[in-house]
Amino acid sequence: MNSIQEITHPVFQGDGLTGKSEGRFGDPIFRCGLIMVLLSFSIHLLMLYSGRRTSDIPETEFFFCFLIAVVYWLILIFFAIFRRKQTNFYQVFPGLVLGLISCYSLNTSLMVFPASPGWFYGLLVLISIAFLLVPFAGKIPEILYHCLCFIVGAGWIVFLYLAICLLPLYPHSLILFWVLGLTLHTFVPLFFVIFIGIWFIRAVRKNRKTGYFVSGGSLTVLLAICIYTLAWSETLSEINNLHQKASQKEVSGLPQWVYIAQHIPENDLTEKILKTDLQYIIPPKNDPDWFNSSILWSDRQEERIHHPLVVIASFFSPPLTLNNGDKTDILKCNHRGRHFEPEHLWNGSGIRTTHVETSVDIWPQYRIAYTEQTFTIYNSSRGPGEAVYSFYIPEGSVVTSLSLWISGKE
């Protein structure tokens, strides 16, 4: 069957706590929560991509997102105390998503986590959508419901990772939670872990098939982490072996990193390994406060990236024996990393090259060639940005002029 009526669905004949079987859209609190999620996420996107981000915009964004989350949670508390019969388990789901949006809005002004890769933000959005749709199992096709269960299962591992990362902040958050409740954001991933676990247990009791898809999502993420960690460890060991060979043999007076650069594999994984401690954050294993010392509140966070797979793989792999200077030199001579520098004045993520025009004049009788290149560069962030361009010219060539035009002015 393509769809299942809610009244006969083995998992959602009730909400898991109160035994009610009414549709979620008929629940005014749940429906209000969905509207608030849409509003909060719209505000977050508007402030993030409108190009109007000034120094006071992040605080404005957080204020609205935090206010929306607080209002919804106050509504839940009010009904839980005075009108308990109108409450159910799934009304908490929009509240958790609102808390997650508020967390990342707060992170723009009071950065706890450095920037993560774009795919990680997209994964959180996908998990949140699936989390909000599982209560509608009786109104959606069964195959779609099982896909949602798979995504929620994967999300359980994601939120478990974030909850572990934030462990060092829990004691401080408990002590300071009375300050407008801001430190309660620390516990949002942990709340996701708890409520997904409760939902999973109650769902499996009524239909084991649901448990297979949820467990499959979690195991798939764990398998992907294991594969990535094994590949990381193997590539890192290969680089360490090259470093050891370079230190044991003569390389014609050249630095050791030259020999390593000549033999190192060129792939995305190698690039990430070389950029650890330069761009990608990896915590030092000899620090007792492992997480808190590095992936939280790190220096130069606007330049650092918190990549979950890199953090996990580095924890279960031996350390890289190359120093930061050698890693930078190898990256510079590598085509994939020649523009990488450990220090930048501004972030260049919003800058892209939209058009390149090349004009060449050749005079064979004089053995002269004149080349003119025009690059059209667009800065979508509308703020200060920095881009690095490399120009390679043959031996004996000279650069006659270089001009930078901004909005039609040289």
Side-chain angles (χ1 to χ4, degrees):
M1 297 177 63
N2 294 329
S3 64
I4 302 176
Q5 296 297 322
E6 184 174 7
I7 191 173
T8 60
H9 197 283
V11 178
F12 287 95
Q13 287 182 342
D15 57 24
L17 288 181
T18 64
K20 297 177 182 178
S21 59
E22 61 183 7
R24 300 302 154 211
F25 278 122
D27 183 344
I29 300 178
F30 189 84
R31 187 169 64 247
C32 177
L34 293 181
I35 296 174
M36 286 184 169
V37 168
L38 181 61
L39 177 62
S40 181
F41 188 65
S42 299
I43 292 175
H44 182 65
L45 290 182
L46 179 65
M47 296 297 184
L48 198 60
Y49 298 109
S50 64
R52 295 170 33 240
R53 298 188 68 97
T54 59
S55 59
D56 60 333
I57 287 296
E59 289 77 9
T60 304
E61 170 196 343
F62 167 70
F63 173 77
F64 286 112
C65 294
F66 179 62
L67 181 61
I68 293 173
V70 169
V71 169
Y72 184 76
W73 277 102
L74 289 177
I75 293 175
L76 287 183
I77 295 173
F78 173 82
F79 276 86
I81 296 175
F82 299 102
R83 299 183 180 181
R84 193 170 183 178
K85 293 183 178 180
Q86 299 183 27
T87 60
N88 60 67
F89 177 63
Y90 292 108
Q91 292 171 352
V92 179
F93 286 23
L96 292 176
V97 176
L98 286 171
L100 184 65
I101 298 173
S102 182
C103 282
Y104 278 91
S105 298
L106 175 62
N107 201 59
T108 59
S109 55
L110 181 62
M111 188 172 289
V112 176
F113 274 107
S116 297
W119 64 263
F120 188 73
Y121 294 123
L123 181 61
L124 289 177
V125 173
L126 181 63
I127 294 170
S128 299
I129 293 174
F131 193 60
L132 293 174
L133 290 179
V134 287
F136 299 100
K139 302 296 183 181
I140 58 178
E142 184 178 12
I143 186 172
L144 176 59
Y145 165 68
H146 290 152
C147 291
L148 295 176
C149 292
F150 184 90
I151 296 172
V152 172
W156 191 84
I157 299 296
V158 174
F159 287 116
L160 179 63
Y161 166 80
L162 293 176
I164 294 175
C165 289
L166 292 170
L167 273 174
L169 299 182
Y170 289 167
H172 307 286
S173 298
L174 286 175
I175 296 174
L176 299 175
F177 79 94
W178 51 272
V179 183
L180 299 178
L182 294 182
T183 58
L184 293 179
H185 288 86
T186 307
F187 299 97
V188 170
L190 181 61
F191 290 156
F192 267 99
V193 172
I194 294 174
F195 279 93
I196 291 177
I198 295 174
W199 168 80
F200 172 74
I201 293 173
R202 293 180 178 274
V204 171
R205 286 177 179 175
K206 297 184 177 181
N207 185 0
R208 291 187 177 182
K209 192 174 182 180
T210 299
Y212 297 149
F213 284 94
V214 176
S215 301
S218 299
L219 292 176
T220 299
V221 174
L222 291 176
L223 180 61
I225 293 174
C226 291
I227 294 175
Y228 191 90
T229 301
L230 290 174
W232 178 282
S233 181
E234 182 178 353
T235 304
L236 190 146
S237 297
E238 183 178 354
I239 297 175
N240 284 342
N241 291 334
L242 288 173
H243 186 209
Q244 185 178 7
K245 290 180 181 179
S247 61
Q248 293 176 352
K249 63 185 299 184
E250 295 291 336
V251 287
S252 303
L254 295 176
Q256 295 180 2
W257 65 264
V258 175
Y259 174 82
I260 300 173
Q262 292 173 338
H263 298 85
I264 197 171
E266 291 191 24
N267 53 53
D268 183 71
L269 197 60
T270 302
E271 184 178 353
K272 284 184 172 58
I273 292 175
L274 293 175
K275 288 183 177 181
T276 54
D277 278 335
L278 297 175
Q279 185 177 20
Y280 294 100
I281 297 172
I282 58 170
K285 297 180 181 180
N286 56 352
D287 193 323
D289 204 359
W290 194 78
F291 280 105
N292 195 31
S293 62
S294 51
I295 65 174
L296 302 177
W297 310 98
S298 63
D299 296 332
R300 290 163 51 223
Q301 295 191 53
E302 69 280 3
E303 302 170 11
R304 298 296 187 100
I305 296 177
H306 171 223
H307 195 298
L309 292 177
V310 171
V311 172
I312 296 173
S314 63
F315 179 75
F316 293 102
S317 302
L320 185 64
T321 56
L322 291 174
N323 58 48
N324 289 345
D326 289 341
K327 289 189 289 187
T328 302
D329 290 332
I330 295 174
L331 285 167
K332 286 181 178 179
C333 75
N334 187 301
H335 176 76
R336 292 175 58 88
R338 67 180 185 271
H339 289 162
F340 175 77
E341 291 285 350
E343 296 183 1
H344 287 278
L345 296 178
W346 297 288
N347 191 308
S349 59
I351 300 178
R352 68 179 188 270
T353 303
T354 59
H355 181 70
V356 179
E357 181 179 352
T358 302
S359 176
V360 181
D361 293 325
I362 301 176
W363 295 275
Q365 65 275 26
Y366 301 112
R367 298 183 179 180
I368 295 176
Y370 175 80
T371 303
E372 181 176 329
Q373 285 188 307
T374 302
F375 292 80
T376 303
I377 307 167
Y378 178 70
N379 183 8
S380 59
S381 66
R382 305 289 181 89
E386 179 177 352
V388 180
Y389 288 82
S390 296
F391 300 90
Y392 293 93
I393 60 178
E395 184 178 357
S397 301
V398 294
V399 177
T400 56
S401 65
L402 177 65
S403 295
L404 175 63
W405 295 72
I406 302 178
S407 300
K409 296 182 180 180
E410 186 175 10

